[in-house]
Amino acid sequence: MTRKLLFLAALLSGPATASPPKLLPLPSHVTEHRGAFRLSPSEAIRVPPRDQGAASAARYLATLLRSSNGLDLKVRQGSGAIRFVRARGFAPEGYAVASDPHGLTVSASSDAGLLYGAVTAWQLASGDEPNVIPVVAIRDAPRFRWRGLMLDSARHFQSPAFVKSMIDWMAWHKLNVLHWHLTDDQGWRLEIKKYPRLTSVAAERVPATAGARKPPVYGGFYTQAEVRDIVAYAKSRHIQVIPEIDMPGHAQATVAAYPKLGSMTGPTPPVSSSWGVHTYLFNIEPATFRFLEDVLDEVMAVFPSQYIHVGGDEAVKDQWKSSPLVQARARALGITDPEALQVWFTQQIGRYLVQHGRRLVGWDEILQPGLSSDAIVMSWRGATGAHSAAIAGNDTVLSPWPTLYFDNRQSALASEPPGRTRVISLEDVYRFEPRDPTLSEAQQKHVLGLQANIWTEHIRTEDRVEWMTLPRAAAVAEVGWTKPERKDWKGFLQRLAPTMARYRALGLHYADSVFAIDGRVFVEADGVRASLANQASFGAIRYTTDGHDPAPQSPQYSQPLKLPLGTELRAATFADSERVSSVWRRKLDADSIARRSSRELHLCTDGVGLLLEPDAFGTAPRPLMALDIMNPCWIYRGVDLTQGARLTAAAGKLPFNFEIGADAQKIRVGDARTAEGELEVRIDGCEGEPAVVQPLAPLPDNALVMTLPAVTLPARPGRHDVCLRFARPRLDPMWALDWVEIRQ
Ligand code: TNX
């Protein structure tokens, strides 16, 4: 276009123009026109008379606009430039939003549609230019009807206020299922009036510690009043809350409170403070089913959801096999195979739920011959469970490990909180495709949608739950909502920037991992070479060397920087003029370059990689250590040993609180030469005679880590990999490396 034409186009577009809307999840159809509607603080939102659903959606929009734009719009019948209209012909959760220079209209057939229209209207009004709504015509409906998150409140407990805040942001991601994992080996979290010991005993545990001192107990539970409040709150945001009461496995806490329910032949266990697959199972006595039915009665009274989740996962049958009580019952039932016994167990419970007008949901272990056709299978051991369920004619939800397991970290950067060391990036989640092309159209219909699971063994705080969930939940939202042909990773990142601004405005502790600076620094003969990148190769990386934070005018990084030793380098990612990552800072001196945290080292093996902190008491900051619990061993790569080197390490102790059955035999222990064990250092490989063996002293009282005396690495020409591991006297506790410094 010529300059003149451009000028003309600008004139024609009227007084207000607006940039293209950045909506997330991306709607099915968006048509943009010229011009914009300017929202004024005196505007009102108009709703039809006697329409509760419309009034609720309108109030939701007003609440969102208050928090993001500081507007205080009235909701009323009569006049108003923003209108909610009930109309026929929309898909169940579908809606339309149409704006012109004079106002905006949301229309839908259902309450859910009106709510999602409100969310879209909010995103239009809180984009790049607040209160300037572009003229658009949007028609939209979701791809899948199950767009969920699972929150594990059993391993770690979150406050009711946190759960409500989660429901809030879920709604504006157009997510509609909150699967609430309320019971597990480590805690029972729901008040059941008939069985008070479930909360007086089973809701508390003594955390595992590496030392002798017992910290205060850890616990918490939700009262039925709190649950009713949460469920009502979720309903007004069109979110179905589905409770999970796990059975027959993951029952250790319950058995700790009511031993008669158990299948063990030995003593009553405590509420567990370990992670992993436990052996405690409910028994199959009539009294136990009465207990479970009583519990489900109270569960159904507070959760009106169509679905009730009863777990069914990881029920190892050791106790059932060795329990005379269970064996006698099984014989009477004519069931010899313990797996078939779980099928029978699930049938009993499923029948009870159906009698009460509900449908059973279970993890994919429930998918066995004899499973009732109305049960829903949640596929977690990959997607094969979903595949088989759809063929068998059962409805199914995809939540496959590892892609939709949000206990996996989202980058390998040192800024990630505890979790599993496997990296599931935002892009991995975004690229997850639920469609199974080998299924027929009829079978495809059984795939209700997808869900990501936030298992919280290692996610101790609410801030960290937010970090592990956001923005990956935004990717789940778009996979669940947007038609595959409309999906676009780069476009998603563009739309993520304003979404992150909304997270910030609401005080959410989201992860910036996708945009965060991955800085690598190398010492060279004449100074330091620094390379900068971000996970998504997105936006502009800007940097400074003057001790100030980077700004939109700062130089843009394009190739590795040659800098003098001693420089303070700072960098951040920018999308246009907006900074979208935290600021990365590094003093380029010999010390800080020589030191690497365990998270920056390479793990020797890939068994069960975890990022852990000591299960400590008190308020001292806890070190965060990366290790493979099957083989705690680390490699510091490429050390120049021509002149020899000095190695200093810091180590701490972690409890070995993992139930891994026979796999524990595979862990090398008992090879210590002294009471506490030794640090072993090897060059180029982790086998054979160590180059250095350094005996360890006990960790001082109240210390979580200690710096070990420096050792000398012998000279060898060239660069070498340095391998560190600990010889340890026993399985529990385990030594873990916090950091290592290797200097000439
Ligand atoms: C497996 S997924 C589990 C959970 C753990 C999770 C940790 C499933 C049905 N069971 O008990 O928390 O792995 O990643």
Side-chain angles (χ1 to χ4, degrees), residues 686-703:
C686 300
E687 299 299 327
E689 271 310 298
V692 177
V693 176
Q694 185 184 40
L696 299 161
L699 208 55
D701 262 1
N702 292 324

Side-chain angles (χ1 to χ4, degrees), residues 150 152 155 179 181 184-186 244 246 250 275-277 309 311-314 362-365 378-381 399 401 405-408 420 453-458 610:
M150 188 216 74
D152 173 4
R155 274 58 177 271
H179 164 183
H181 186 76
D184 217 304
D185 301 298
Q186 301 82 2
E244 179 185 351
D246 209 339
H250 288 285
W275 315 123
V277 179
H309 201 305
D313 57 315
E314 299 179 323
W363 298 109
D364 58 27
E365 285 93 334
M378 203 165 259
S379 186
W380 73 277
R381 295 174 298 178
S399 66
W401 159 269
Y405 270 51
F406 284 1
D407 51 347
N408 290 305
R420 294 176 181 270
N453 299 330
I454 311 156
W455 296 108
T456 60
E457 287 96 328
H458 312 297
L610 297 174

